[in-house]
Amino acid sequence: MSADSDPEELPDSDHKSRKGRGQRKQQQNAAQTRANALDPATLDPRRAKRILANRQSAQRSRMKRLQYIHDLENRSAATSATVKEIQAEVQRLQEQHTGLAEAVEQRKAQVDTLTCQLLQEKSLKATLVSHISALQSQLAWQQQQQQQAQLPSHPLHQQAEHTVQQQQHRQ
């Protein structure tokens, strides 16, 4: 076979070559059909109307897609701004929380200090009450002694006085 031979005359073993040529032939026919479809002289009015409607629909679809993308970009920008505002608010609240936590710790330390002071004061009060009670007892004893000293001496009184003095010294 020569290089100038017709593609139809190729043997069956060259099946891949024929398939490639068939696709090229379809592409050529499609190109011719498109060219004829757009030729005003050969154009069918119904086909021209359908082509025009398809083009307009495609244009509307492209515009809708662009508008949708634009809307998404605007929503994304608004959402990003909202996220930044919320992040700033979260940061502010975290700082406020940290400050309040420190204040709480300070108040707890103050409460602990005041609790210790209160316990010390209660202990001191108990000690003072005990001392006051002892002093009152001693005062009562001294007053009793003075009253007995002012009474005329009677032998029974003297003996009772001596017994009381001995008991107090034992204590």
Side-chain angles (χ1 to χ4, degrees):
M1 274 194 219
S2 67
D4 296 333
S5 66
D6 190 18
E8 300 288 325
E9 297 175 6
L10 291 176
D12 285 342
S13 64
D14 196 15
H15 178 67
K16 287 183 181 178
S17 311
R18 271 193 291 164
K19 191 171 186 180
R21 286 189 201 124
Q23 287 175 349
R24 273 186 267 150
K25 194 170 191 178
Q26 286 176 353
Q27 288 173 351
Q28 288 174 352
N29 287 341
Q32 287 176 355
T33 304
R34 276 190 225 110
N36 290 340
L38 300 177
D39 183 18
T42 60
L43 197 59
D44 179 29
R46 279 188 256 158
R47 181 165 169 78
K49 186 177 178 182
R50 191 169 17 126
I51 289 172
L52 181 61
N54 284 347
R55 286 180 181 168
Q56 289 172 345
S57 176
Q59 182 62 28
R60 283 192 307 270
S61 179
R62 285 190 294 272
M63 293 304 291
K64 279 184 182 179
R65 187 177 62 231
L66 288 175
Q67 183 63 40
Y68 179 72
I69 290 170
H70 180 71
D71 290 346
L72 285 178
E73 288 171 345
N74 287 342
R75 284 177 51 197
S76 175
T79 303
S80 294
T82 303
V83 165
K84 285 182 181 179
E85 289 173 7
I86 291 172
Q87 286 175 337
E89 181 70 9
V90 166
Q91 179 67 29
R92 185 187 67 76
L93 290 174
Q94 285 176 340
E95 290 170 359
Q96 183 180 11
H97 177 268
T98 301
L100 291 173
E102 290 172 359
V104 165
E105 290 302 318
Q106 289 174 351
R107 296 302 183 258
K108 284 181 179 179
Q110 288 175 345
V111 166
D112 290 343
T113 301
L114 291 174
T115 302
C116 287
Q117 287 177 354
L118 181 62
L119 290 175
Q120 288 173 351
E121 288 175 6
K122 283 182 179 181
S123 175
L124 182 59
K125 180 181 177 184
T127 303
L128 290 174
V129 166
S130 173
H131 285 306
I132 289 171
S133 178
L135 288 173
Q136 286 174 341
S137 296
Q138 188 178 10
L139 178 62
W141 179 79
Q142 286 176 353
Q143 287 174 347
Q144 188 180 22
Q145 292 296 321
Q146 286 176 352
Q147 286 175 353
Q148 287 177 0
Q150 291 176 354
L151 289 177
S153 268
H154 190 278
L156 290 176
H157 286 296
Q158 290 175 354
Q159 188 180 10
E161 188 177 298
H162 182 63
T163 307
V164 171
Q165 288 176 355
Q166 286 176 351
Q167 287 176 356
Q168 288 178 353
H169 286 293
R170 289 181 195 160
Q171 288 178 352

